Amino acid sequence: MESEQAIEISEVRNMLEIKQLTVAVEDKEILHDVNMAIKKGETHALFGPNGSGKTTLLMAIMGFPRYQVTRGNIIFKGEDITKLPLDERARLGIGMSFQRPPVVRGVKTRDIVAACLKGRGNEEIIGQLAEKANLADFLNREINYRFSGGEIKRSEMMQLLAQKPELSLLDEPESGVDLTNIALMGELINKLLEKDCPIRTRKCTGLIITHTGHILNYVNARTGYVMFDGRIACEGDPHEILATIKEKGYRECARCTK
Amino acid sequence: MHKVKSSKTHRDRAKAALTKAAAFGEDIDLSSYVSSAEEQPYQDDPSGLPAKAKEQMLGVGVILDDVSQRSGTFIQTDNTPVHSSIRQEGIEVMSTRQALEKYDWLSDYWWNAVPVDTDKYTANVELSQHNGYFIRALPGYKTIYPVQACLYLKRARLAQNVHNIIIAEEDSELHIITGCTTASSEEAGLHLGVSEFYIKRGAKITFTMIHSWNPEVAVRPRSAAIVEENGLLLSNYVIMKPVRSLQMYPSARCVGENAVVRYNSILVAAPRSSLDVGSRAILDAKGAKTEIISRAITTGGNIIARGYIEGNAPEVKGHLECRGLILQREGMIHAVPELKGNLAGVDLSHEAAVGKIAEEEIEYLMARGLTRTEATATIVRGFLRVDIEGLPPMLRAELQRAVVASEKEIM
């Protein structure tokens, strides 16, 4: 009885729950026993050195087949989606911005934005989104073809703004973005995550991988995690964590048992 | 038919080449086809053609019920020109037989770009001539709407031998859409089409050819172009329906400074279809440029996609792009891009890629909520969409329509 009640509460409050998640890529275990819970409307930040498993976690949540969940569960809005295919998760309300998305020759940026809008859009809406992301000249270009680092990030955000996922998984949104554009990235992310809405009514939830933490100067995050060797080594205030990382480095941060 | 003038030397050279195998492609046994078909009635009004034929022609971009969007029309059924008309001043459209009678000078163009003894097919066209179209833009005249031409194969087992001449006089502009198709969806047939293009100084031709055959038809087009100073040839070719055997390797020679040639090919090979299609550009004059793009998709058939650029003059530039998608387990694509530079100062490049659709690309679109099928269709549609610079919007729309019409079959 008690446990049922608990589930009910979690359905309401948690947008995402990761329970004892173990993920392997090509039979090599990358993530070990990861636990995480993100309440509706919150934004969490994920820190960690290169190769620690941050992207693997996002890919596993999104449901990419190469990322095999060998143990544990992914719960989205109270529903266990561990075995759900990638596209169904997307349609359920999970979206992801990629660090290095593929070039899809012949497919125009406009086509993808239109696909993200799922028929909700028209030329005008697509144009406005592109304007917002400072990509008006890119709509007729092949997606990601000869895009700069910053253009890729903005294009990913533009697609997510069209897709309007309830849970956004953002993989290093600031990497490769120059100083003049990082504020714009922050603006786009805040728009995506409905930061102008009070948290009580806010639906949009975010999990952001950040290597440098720069983006946190523009986007508020409630909780931070440090991933190290495929495990969540630390959880706490993102600014405190960032300060510790900057001062002592990841290894030291991971050793801390707080 | 025998009124078509051809000089003794052409006939002699053709006779000597009657057994000469083509450089590429399966050798077609010409004796298994018939060379004559009954005369077809001439139609003053092209909308008077049989409904079924009109519908088939529409499928290859030839509109007969309302020709207001066309500046001229030529229709040939089997061996008979059944309609020719013009709607714009400065444009000439007629059968090659009529043109040879009208213009003495046409002999200068006859077998000038395409050698008559190229192979047994060109030889056969010379010795068993069945008309074809003559399309010409007079100096300085520019067509707004395209001229349309259709070569329609009706009689079973017919070898349709046509010889086409297209001339854009100085500073003229000519847009042509030509569709070739067959009445039957199963009868064997052979289409041998010689096309010679002459693009004079400052002239422009856009030529969009859509083929729609059946799984028993063999096709051997033989075309070549000569492009003079500041001239432009933009040639687009689309084949998306099954064919037994198609082999062609159109060639353009830029003889004048700054001449430009662009070839775009969209090739789809169904199971049992065999396509060997290339484009060749010879850059003989300073500043000449070419771009050759081909997109090949096999759903089970075989495609050889060739390309050849030769640079023989300073400051010439050429790029060859050949991409192939193998959509099913069966099927073969063989890309053969070739570049030849004969002096310093040429700038020639190519890129070729053959494979299946990258899983990463499909998953990227699936992460945006598209199903696997939708993602694949989006990628295939994008693959086949070649943005053709310089093509009038109307022809672009026609081309897009042909691609979309075949999309279901591909998927």
Short mmCIF file of all heavy atoms in Angstrom, two decimals, chain B residues 249-270:
data_model
loop_
_atom_site.label_atom_id
_atom_site.label_comp_id
_atom_site.label_asym_id
_atom_site.label_seq_id
_atom_site.Cartn_x
_atom_site.Cartn_y
_atom_site.Cartn_z
N TYR B 249 26.29 7.39 -72.34
CA TYR B 249 27.44 8.12 -71.83
C TYR B 249 27.52 9.44 -72.59
O TYR B 249 28.43 9.65 -73.39
CB TYR B 249 28.71 7.28 -72.01
CG TYR B 249 29.82 7.56 -71.01
CD1 TYR B 249 30.83 6.62 -70.81
CD2 TYR B 249 29.86 8.74 -70.28
CE1 TYR B 249 31.85 6.83 -69.90
CE2 TYR B 249 30.88 8.97 -69.36
CZ TYR B 249 31.87 8.02 -69.17
OH TYR B 249 32.88 8.24 -68.27
N PRO B 250 26.53 10.32 -72.38
CA PRO B 250 26.53 11.57 -73.13
C PRO B 250 27.80 12.37 -72.87
O PRO B 250 28.38 12.29 -71.78
CB PRO B 250 25.30 12.31 -72.59
CG PRO B 250 24.98 11.67 -71.29
CD PRO B 250 25.42 10.25 -71.42
N SER B 251 28.18 13.11 -73.86
CA SER B 251 29.46 13.78 -73.81
C SER B 251 29.32 15.22 -74.28
O SER B 251 28.56 15.50 -75.20
CB SER B 251 30.40 13.01 -74.76
OG SER B 251 31.63 13.65 -74.83
N ALA B 252 29.99 16.13 -73.60
CA ALA B 252 29.95 17.53 -74.03
C ALA B 252 31.37 18.03 -74.19
O ALA B 252 32.23 17.76 -73.35
CB ALA B 252 29.21 18.38 -73.01
N ARG B 253 31.57 18.76 -75.26
CA ARG B 253 32.90 19.32 -75.51
C ARG B 253 32.79 20.84 -75.45
O ARG B 253 32.02 21.45 -76.19
CB ARG B 253 33.38 18.87 -76.90
CG ARG B 253 34.82 19.21 -77.22
CD ARG B 253 35.23 18.61 -78.56
NE ARG B 253 35.46 17.17 -78.50
CZ ARG B 253 36.63 16.62 -78.15
NH1 ARG B 253 37.66 17.37 -77.82
NH2 ARG B 253 36.75 15.31 -78.13
N CYS B 254 33.53 21.42 -74.52
CA CYS B 254 33.53 22.89 -74.42
C CYS B 254 34.64 23.40 -75.32
O CYS B 254 35.82 23.27 -74.99
CB CYS B 254 33.80 23.31 -72.97
SG CYS B 254 32.45 22.87 -71.87
N VAL B 255 34.25 23.96 -76.44
CA VAL B 255 35.26 24.40 -77.41
C VAL B 255 35.52 25.90 -77.32
O VAL B 255 36.49 26.40 -77.90
CB VAL B 255 34.86 24.02 -78.86
CG1 VAL B 255 34.76 22.51 -79.00
CG2 VAL B 255 33.55 24.69 -79.27
N GLY B 256 34.61 26.63 -76.62
CA GLY B 256 34.79 28.08 -76.52
C GLY B 256 35.15 28.47 -75.10
O GLY B 256 34.82 27.77 -74.14
N GLU B 257 35.83 29.58 -74.98
CA GLU B 257 36.24 30.05 -73.66
C GLU B 257 35.05 30.23 -72.73
O GLU B 257 33.99 30.69 -73.15
CB GLU B 257 37.01 31.37 -73.77
CG GLU B 257 38.41 31.16 -74.33
CD GLU B 257 39.29 32.40 -74.22
OE1 GLU B 257 38.86 33.38 -73.60
OE2 GLU B 257 40.41 32.36 -74.77
N ASN B 258 35.24 29.84 -71.49
CA ASN B 258 34.23 30.01 -70.43
C ASN B 258 32.93 29.27 -70.70
O ASN B 258 31.89 29.61 -70.13
CB ASN B 258 33.94 31.50 -70.17
CG ASN B 258 35.20 32.25 -69.80
OD1 ASN B 258 36.00 31.76 -69.01
ND2 ASN B 258 35.39 33.41 -70.41
N ALA B 259 32.96 28.29 -71.55
CA ALA B 259 31.77 27.46 -71.75
C ALA B 259 31.53 26.64 -70.47
O ALA B 259 32.48 26.28 -69.78
CB ALA B 259 31.95 26.54 -72.94
N VAL B 260 30.27 26.38 -70.20
CA VAL B 260 29.92 25.65 -68.97
C VAL B 260 28.99 24.48 -69.30
O VAL B 260 28.05 24.62 -70.07
CB VAL B 260 29.22 26.58 -67.95
CG1 VAL B 260 28.79 25.80 -66.71
CG2 VAL B 260 30.13 27.74 -67.56
N VAL B 261 29.27 23.34 -68.68
CA VAL B 261 28.41 22.17 -68.86
C VAL B 261 28.09 21.59 -67.49
O VAL B 261 28.99 21.43 -66.66
CB VAL B 261 29.14 21.08 -69.68
CG1 VAL B 261 28.34 19.79 -69.67
CG2 VAL B 261 29.35 21.55 -71.10
N ARG B 262 26.82 21.32 -67.27
CA ARG B 262 26.45 20.65 -66.02
C ARG B 262 25.57 19.45 -66.36
O ARG B 262 24.60 19.58 -67.09
CB ARG B 262 25.64 21.57 -65.11
CG ARG B 262 26.45 22.68 -64.54
CD ARG B 262 25.84 23.16 -63.22
NE ARG B 262 26.50 24.39 -62.85
CZ ARG B 262 26.02 25.59 -63.15
NH1 ARG B 262 24.85 25.70 -63.75
NH2 ARG B 262 26.67 26.67 -62.82
N TYR B 263 25.93 18.33 -65.79
CA TYR B 263 25.11 17.14 -65.95
C TYR B 263 24.60 16.70 -64.59
O TYR B 263 25.38 16.60 -63.64
CB TYR B 263 25.95 15.98 -66.50
CG TYR B 263 26.20 16.00 -67.99
CD1 TYR B 263 27.47 16.27 -68.49
CD2 TYR B 263 25.19 15.69 -68.89
CE1 TYR B 263 27.72 16.26 -69.86
CE2 TYR B 263 25.43 15.67 -70.25
CZ TYR B 263 26.70 15.96 -70.74
OH TYR B 263 26.93 15.93 -72.08
N ASN B 264 23.30 16.43 -64.49
CA ASN B 264 22.74 15.85 -63.28
C ASN B 264 21.99 14.59 -63.66
O ASN B 264 21.18 14.63 -64.58
CB ASN B 264 21.74 16.82 -62.63
CG ASN B 264 22.41 18.11 -62.22
OD1 ASN B 264 23.21 18.14 -61.31
ND2 ASN B 264 22.08 19.19 -62.92
N SER B 265 22.25 13.52 -62.98
CA SER B 265 21.52 12.28 -63.27
C SER B 265 20.92 11.72 -61.99
O SER B 265 21.59 11.67 -60.96
CB SER B 265 22.45 11.22 -63.85
OG SER B 265 23.23 11.76 -64.88
N ILE B 266 19.68 11.32 -62.11
CA ILE B 266 19.01 10.65 -60.99
C ILE B 266 18.62 9.26 -61.49
O ILE B 266 17.83 9.13 -62.43
CB ILE B 266 17.78 11.44 -60.54
CG1 ILE B 266 18.24 12.79 -59.97
CG2 ILE B 266 16.98 10.66 -59.50
CD1 ILE B 266 17.12 13.73 -59.61
N LEU B 267 19.22 8.25 -60.92
CA LEU B 267 19.07 6.90 -61.44
C LEU B 267 18.51 5.99 -60.36
O LEU B 267 19.03 5.96 -59.24
CB LEU B 267 20.44 6.35 -61.86
CG LEU B 267 21.35 7.30 -62.66
CD1 LEU B 267 22.74 6.71 -62.80
CD2 LEU B 267 20.74 7.55 -64.04
N VAL B 268 17.48 5.26 -60.72
CA VAL B 268 16.95 4.27 -59.78
C VAL B 268 16.86 2.93 -60.51
O VAL B 268 16.29 2.85 -61.60
CB VAL B 268 15.55 4.67 -59.26
CG1 VAL B 268 14.98 3.58 -58.37
CG2 VAL B 268 15.63 5.99 -58.48
N ALA B 269 17.46 1.92 -59.94
CA ALA B 269 17.43 0.60 -60.57
C ALA B 269 16.62 -0.38 -59.73
O ALA B 269 16.99 -0.71 -58.61
CB ALA B 269 18.85 0.07 -60.76
N ALA B 270 15.51 -0.81 -60.31
CA ALA B 270 14.67 -1.83 -59.67
C ALA B 270 15.33 -3.19 -59.88
O ALA B 270 16.25 -3.31 -60.69
CB ALA B 270 13.29 -1.80 -60.31
#
